[in-house]
Amino acid sequence: MSNVVIVGTQWGDEGKGKIVDYFTGYADVVVRFQGGNNAGHTLVVNNKTTILHLVPSGALHPKKVCVIGNGVVVDPKVLVEEIQTLKKAGYLKNPSLLRISHLAHVILPYHRLIDQLREKDKGDGKIGTTGRGIGPCYEDKVARRGIRMADFISSKLFRERLEEILPERNRYIEQVLGGTPFKLEEIFSEYLSLSKALRPYIGSVEENFQQWEKNKKHILFEGAQGTSLDVDHGTYPFVTSSNTVAGYASCGSGLGPTQIDQVVGISKAYTTRVGSGPFPTELKDSMGEYLREKGGEYGATTGRPRRCGWIDLVVIRHAKIVNGLTSLVLTKMDVLSGLKKIKLCTGYRLGGKVIKQIPSTVEDLTKVKPIYEEMNGWEEDLTQVTRWKQLPVRAKKYVERIQDWLEIPLTSISVGPSRQQHIVLKNPFK
Ligand code: GDP
Ligand code: IMO
Ligand code: MG
């Protein structure tokens, strides 16, 4: 038995979906523990692209069990659609293959509206959220006015909770945000069929974990977003509303922290960010444009162009610390082929001082100037490389420099979007 957590080490979209799909081959159960359908995890299997927003990225392995933990916020509309699409494609053949925690909170239409109206109100100061109602749903959870799956699947409790909560949310929408209030009957009748559709999947996931542990199953935890988007450890307030770090795998699933063995961080070979907020190594020139086009850097959830820049080792070092990373996976190495020179950020200059930590305020992080090391690039295409020894010397040097600077071993290197395009250095479950 060994359990592994996978987390993003940058601002999301590091390729977590692809890596989770790959490592599901070594696992029995795959668990999402935070976030919601703000996530967009892309899997390319047998030349077919699947983008998952809520169902864990293990779903394309026919016999593996997928779990949506209590720490996830679930939009029932999106989830039911995703389940239907997967079923049509021959996956998730029965509800025992997808378990959803009875304690997960439900995203309802007023969460989406509040998210969107607030962003509109903020104008240039907006966070650049995905507009999926993620923040407002987590707020309701903490404010103790959320609706959980256990309430949602009982028509009686669902109605009672809506009767309690909606009038206050409607006053907020109308009087503070200038929006149109919701009619309880409309939400109730629309969501009743969704609640029925989800009923067979809902249960006590923490009890399932006990069984899996007893049977020595391997559990893989799939983080969403990235460490710099974590509500505590990220570039606050330009963050998401959940804890994205590995520690939350326990909290957001119901499996105690003593049961977690390895934490694998996923890092892109360069950096991207979607939405607003500071990004020290951002390239606003033709190089940034080049990385966006070559890397296909457009959001898997919203289609927005991603901001691109050089790899920032200060950001990844911070992720190593707050996640307790035991190893790293480097993705999208193939995108860097053909560049004469490649830069790595190894520190920041702030007000005449050199620092190796992320400053605590966004104001300072916006002012820092990255300090770069420059390395020679390589010409060779990497997309067919499957072994370390086949990598060009200069690509090896780039990888080794990252490993040495961060003082962390690599589990694997990804060289293309599909499942096979992978150089595996180590089985993370061993
Ligand atoms: P996630 O949110 O971390 O799962 O990442 P996304 O799916 O949002 O974005 C990663 C994008 O890069 C997707 O389009 C993947 O298909 C693609 N991708 C993943 N790994 C690689 C890789 O090694 N090389 C290339 N070229 N593309 C990759
Ligand atoms: P995956 O799992 C990249 C960003 C949004 C915005 C901020 C807050 O695919 O890596 P939210 O809707 O969560 O309130 O938006 O967080 N964001 C992501 N960026 N990848 C993601 O997920 C993201 N999920 C949220 O763009 O800046
Ligand atoms: Mg994504």
Side-chain angles (χ1 to χ4, degrees):
M1 186 267 325
S2 125
N3 301 325
V4 176
V5 181
I6 281 188
V7 288
T9 63
Q10 296 156 317
W11 280 279
D13 304 326
E14 298 91 347
K16 298 175 293 296
K18 176 200 154 150
I19 302 303
V20 169
D21 169 67
Y22 187 86
F23 285 136
T24 301
Y26 301 101
D28 302 292
V29 180
V30 186
V31 186
R32 274 283 305 269
F33 56 89
Q34 48 72 229
N37 60 311
N38 45 353
H41 296 180
T42 313
L43 323 179
V44 182
V45 179
N46 299 332
N47 293 324
K48 189 170 179 277
T49 299
T50 306
I51 299 177
L52 296 174
H53 302 286
L54 279 165
V55 173
S57 298
L60 305 192
H61 291 256
K63 290 186 183 149
K64 309 289 165 121
V65 178
C66 287
V67 173
I68 296 179
N70 58 279
V72 177
V73 287
V74 179
D75 185 324
K77 264 190 170 175
V78 175
L79 181 56
V80 168
E81 240 182 74
E82 206 161 287
I83 293 172
Q84 280 167 354
T85 308
L86 285 165
K87 277 182 149 180
K88 261 190 215 150
Y91 303 106
L92 297 184
K93 286 208 167 117
N94 69 69
S96 68
L97 294 174
L98 175 65
R99 308 309 305 150
I100 304 167
S101 170
H102 55 154
L103 308 179
H105 279 250
V106 177
I107 297 182
L108 288 161
Y110 49 89
H111 295 125
R112 284 194 297 270
L113 183 69
I114 291 171
D115 192 358
Q116 290 158 14
L117 288 176
R118 277 199 196 136
E119 283 283 276
K120 216 162 106 188
D121 213 40
K122 283 194 178 133
D124 286 345
K126 70 179 182 206
I127 306 283
T129 73
T130 57
R132 304 297 197 260
I134 307 295
C137 185
Y138 276 118
E139 282 169 44
D140 279 2
K141 170 177 173 171
V142 177
R144 291 160 295 190
R145 56 165 181 253
I147 298 185
R148 305 198 289 184
M149 276 297 170
D151 308 318
F152 183 61
I153 57 169
S154 146
S155 55
K156 177 174 172 286
L157 291 179
F158 179 37
R159 176 182 278 279
E160 281 174 15
R161 296 296 281 147
L162 269 182
E163 280 167 355
E164 254 171 66
I165 294 158
L166 192 63
E168 190 266 352
R169 292 287 77 192
N170 268 341
R171 279 200 301 279
Y172 178 70
I173 287 171
E174 213 175 356
Q175 293 170 18
V176 177
L177 300 174
T180 310
F182 287 90
K183 292 194 173 66
L184 187 144
E185 285 311 326
E186 281 177 14
I187 298 184
F188 185 69
S189 59
E190 186 187 357
Y191 278 72
L192 203 57
S193 62
L194 296 167
S195 105
K196 280 188 191 142
L198 290 180
R199 216 169 278 162
Y201 300 96
I202 312 295
S204 166
V205 165
E206 47 291 5
E207 288 299 328
N208 294 141
F209 278 126
Q210 292 315 301
Q211 209 52 45
W212 292 323
E213 285 289 291
K214 236 186 221 162
N215 296 335
K216 305 207 179 318
K217 301 289 184 196
H218 293 312
I219 303 171
L220 182 61
F221 291 88
E222 174 181 9
Q225 291 80 54
T227 305
S228 284
L229 287 171
D230 181 283
V231 67
D232 285 290
H233 300 286
T235 50
Y236 191 88
F238 296 97
V239 292
T240 190
S241 301
S242 67
N243 283 110
T244 62
V245 292
Y248 205 75
S250 171
C251 211
S253 69
L255 186 72
T258 49
Q259 312 296 77
I260 289 166
D261 304 286
Q262 304 285 336
V263 181
V264 181
I266 315 296
S267 303
K268 228 176 242 189
Y270 48 97
T271 315
T272 63
R273 173 163 204 171
V274 59
S276 326
F279 177 179
T281 62
E282 182 171 15
L283 294 163
K284 292 183 174 162
D285 54 10
S286 57
M287 181 54 72
E289 191 65 36
Y290 173 86
L291 289 172
R292 184 175 311 116
E293 292 315 311
K294 181 128 192 255
E297 298 296 353
Y298 292 88
T301 295
T302 57
R304 290 178 290 177
R306 294 174 182 151
R307 300 155 64 194
C308 298
W310 297 119
I311 197 165
D312 188 337
L313 298 179
V314 177
V315 164
I316 303 174
R317 176 180 170 274
H318 173 248
K320 178 189 161 189
I321 296 168
V322 297
N323 290 292
L325 297 184
T326 51
S327 67
L328 203 69
V329 171
L330 204 58
T331 62
K332 303 195 94 159
M333 270 293 283
D334 54 301
V335 176
L336 299 183
S337 289
L339 292 175
K340 290 233 154 18
K341 297 280 177 194
I342 301 174
K343 291 186 184 177
L344 305 89
C345 169
T346 55
Y348 301 143
R349 224 176 281 283
L350 177 67
K353 280 197 183 138
V354 172
I355 54 171
K356 289 207 191 297
Q357 291 93 33
I358 302 177
S360 6
T361 65
V362 154
E363 284 72 13
D364 279 348
L365 188 55
T366 312
K367 282 188 221 142
V368 301
K369 298 273 174 269
I371 299 167
Y372 287 116
E373 260 181 40
E374 198 174 72
M375 295 187 72
N376 288 321
W378 58 92
E379 276 301 321
E380 297 88 334
D381 173 47
L382 305 185
T383 56
Q384 306 302 318
V385 174
T386 54
R387 286 169 184 217
W388 172 257
K389 62 178 185 201
Q390 297 167 335
L391 272 180
V393 173
R394 287 175 171 183
K396 277 185 185 157
K397 281 197 170 149
Y398 183 67
V399 173
E400 282 165 349
R401 182 65 191 129
I402 292 170
Q403 243 180 165
D404 293 348
W405 196 91
L406 291 167
E407 297 180 288
I408 193 165
L410 249 68
T411 298
S412 65
I413 301 164
S414 176
V415 290
S418 69
R419 200 184 265 172
Q420 291 74 20
Q421 290 174 300
H422 211 111
I423 306 168
V424 181
L425 305 170
K426 170 175 173 286
N427 170 352
F429 285 92
K430 282 198 177 143

